Amino acid sequence: MLSEKKYEIGYALSGGFIKGFAHLGAMQALLEHDIKPDIISGVSAGALAGVFYADGNEPYKVLDFFSGHTFRDLTKFIIPRMGLFDLRDFIDFIKSNLKAKNIEDLQIPFMITATDLDKGKSVVFTEGELAIRIAASCCMPVMFAPVLIDDTHYVDGGLFMNLPVSTLRHQCEKVIAINVSPLIAKEYKKNILSIALRSYNFMFQANAIPERKKADLLIEPYNLDDYNNRELDKAKEIFIHGYDTAKDLLANRMTEFGKIWR
């Protein structure tokens, strides 16, 4: 009986800001095991990492695009009205470094999850101008001003779905979820800012819990929480964490089951 699924393997890539470079490391390890995606679904940092892969770049080469850049190169501080930073420079960076201009032009089918701030719902983009939709998916509320697309304000897709397995599940035989923001309750400073940020992160990470169970293979690096979101210079270190986590998981699977998939 022929499968009714449209794709064999899909990647679901989580949000995670600077931790998104671990996605590239994990995808590099998967590629070295000849496990390639037929479709990719990404949210926030996962959308950013995934789009460079879907545009035809090997994961480790994507680091070159960010080399020498700082957080300030990609964002611009503005007089706060709807956010502290503007993403126009970030949009220009994406446009100048991707060959594809629209989602449907990418070499691998791609899905971008963002949040419709006006109607309060999760939205999945599968076509349209690429750079502005990546920016919308990455637009962390308060830090960045919402991204306006067709008279609608969009913010970070992680508000409702920080690990977009559901967007792929009905289309793919197998879904590999890479979650670079697992829920970790570690020590924290007892001040108002730390408490606010911790609560905010917990809300983002909590909606990934049911999504994790829907994946056929789950890759979760647990050693990324100490990286500051502005540390673009640590991209290679973060990449290696993701690579080692995926490589070890795949090796353990082969040892225990004699194959990657159960």
Side-chain angles (χ1 to χ4, degrees):
M1 180 177 177
L2 292 176
S3 169
E4 295 180 0
K5 304 288 187 179
K6 187 175 181 181
Y7 301 105
E8 178 64 25
I9 295 175
Y11 284 3
L13 310 180
S14 77
F17 214 108
I18 196 72
K19 294 180 285 187
F21 288 107
H23 283 305
L24 296 168
M27 288 190 290
Q28 185 68 43
L30 289 164
L31 183 61
E32 291 175 5
H33 280 76
D34 201 32
I35 301 173
K36 302 173 184 177
D38 301 298
I39 186 172
I40 298 173
S41 181
V43 59
S44 196
L48 180 61
V51 76
F52 278 92
Y53 187 14
D55 199 42
N57 301 289
E58 194 164 345
Y60 81 94
K61 293 294 293 181
V62 178
L63 294 176
D64 294 341
F65 292 105
F66 292 87
S67 179
H69 286 286
T70 66
F71 180 83
R72 289 189 176 186
D73 293 334
L74 304 181
T75 59
K76 183 178 294 182
F77 182 77
I78 55 177
I79 298 174
R81 190 173 79 88
M82 298 180 72
L84 295 174
F85 297 93
D86 184 276
L87 286 171
R88 279 176 291 186
D89 289 343
F90 179 61
I91 292 171
D92 289 341
F93 169 81
I94 296 172
K95 285 181 177 179
S96 63
N97 286 290
L98 292 179
K99 296 184 288 291
K101 302 305 176 188
N102 297 304
I103 299 173
E104 56 268 37
D105 299 331
L106 291 164
Q107 295 182 24
I108 300 172
F110 202 73
M111 307 171 78
I112 301 169
T113 298
T115 297
D116 180 337
L117 187 63
D118 299 338
K119 296 184 178 66
K121 63 179 183 179
S122 185
V123 174
V124 178
F125 294 114
T126 57
E127 58 183 21
E129 186 181 342
L130 185 53
I132 195 168
R133 285 166 173 80
I134 293 291
S137 183
C138 293
C139 185
M140 185 178 290
V142 182
M143 177 173 283
F144 302 118
V147 175
L148 188 65
I149 303 173
D150 297 332
D151 297 320
T152 298
H153 295 91
Y154 291 95
V155 294
D156 198 315
L159 284 177
F160 286 113
M161 186 176 290
N162 205 43
L163 184 62
V165 178
S166 293
T167 61
L168 293 170
R169 186 67 277 177
H170 68 288
Q171 299 188 69
C172 298
E173 289 289 344
K174 296 180 175 64
V175 176
I176 299 174
I178 306 176
N179 182 22
V180 299
S181 294
L183 190 56
I184 302 172
K186 56 188 293 186
E187 286 298 312
Y188 63 102
K189 295 179 181 178
K190 306 301 190 290
N191 60 54
I192 189 168
L193 181 60
S194 292
I195 291 170
L197 287 173
R198 183 179 176 87
S199 301
Y200 185 77
N201 286 330
F202 278 0
M203 287 188 288
F204 264 65
Q205 294 161 4
N207 67 50
I209 294 173
E211 294 295 305
R212 295 167 73 253
K213 299 174 183 178
K214 299 173 185 176
D216 298 287
L217 184 67
L218 177 65
I219 300 171
E220 287 186 314
Y222 275 87
N223 44 9
L224 304 174
D225 265 15
D226 291 332
Y227 288 99
N228 185 292
N229 281 333
R230 297 189 177 195
E231 291 183 307
L232 277 176
D233 58 309
K234 300 293 180 62
K236 187 173 182 180
E237 285 182 30
I238 297 170
F239 175 98
I240 291 171
H241 283 307
Y243 177 82
D244 287 344
T245 298
K247 184 179 178 182
D248 290 346
L249 174 64
L250 295 172
N252 290 339
R253 285 246 174 175
M254 289 300 296
T255 299
E256 187 172 354
F257 307 114
K259 56 185 179 180
I260 301 298
W261 312 103
R262 293 193 185 189

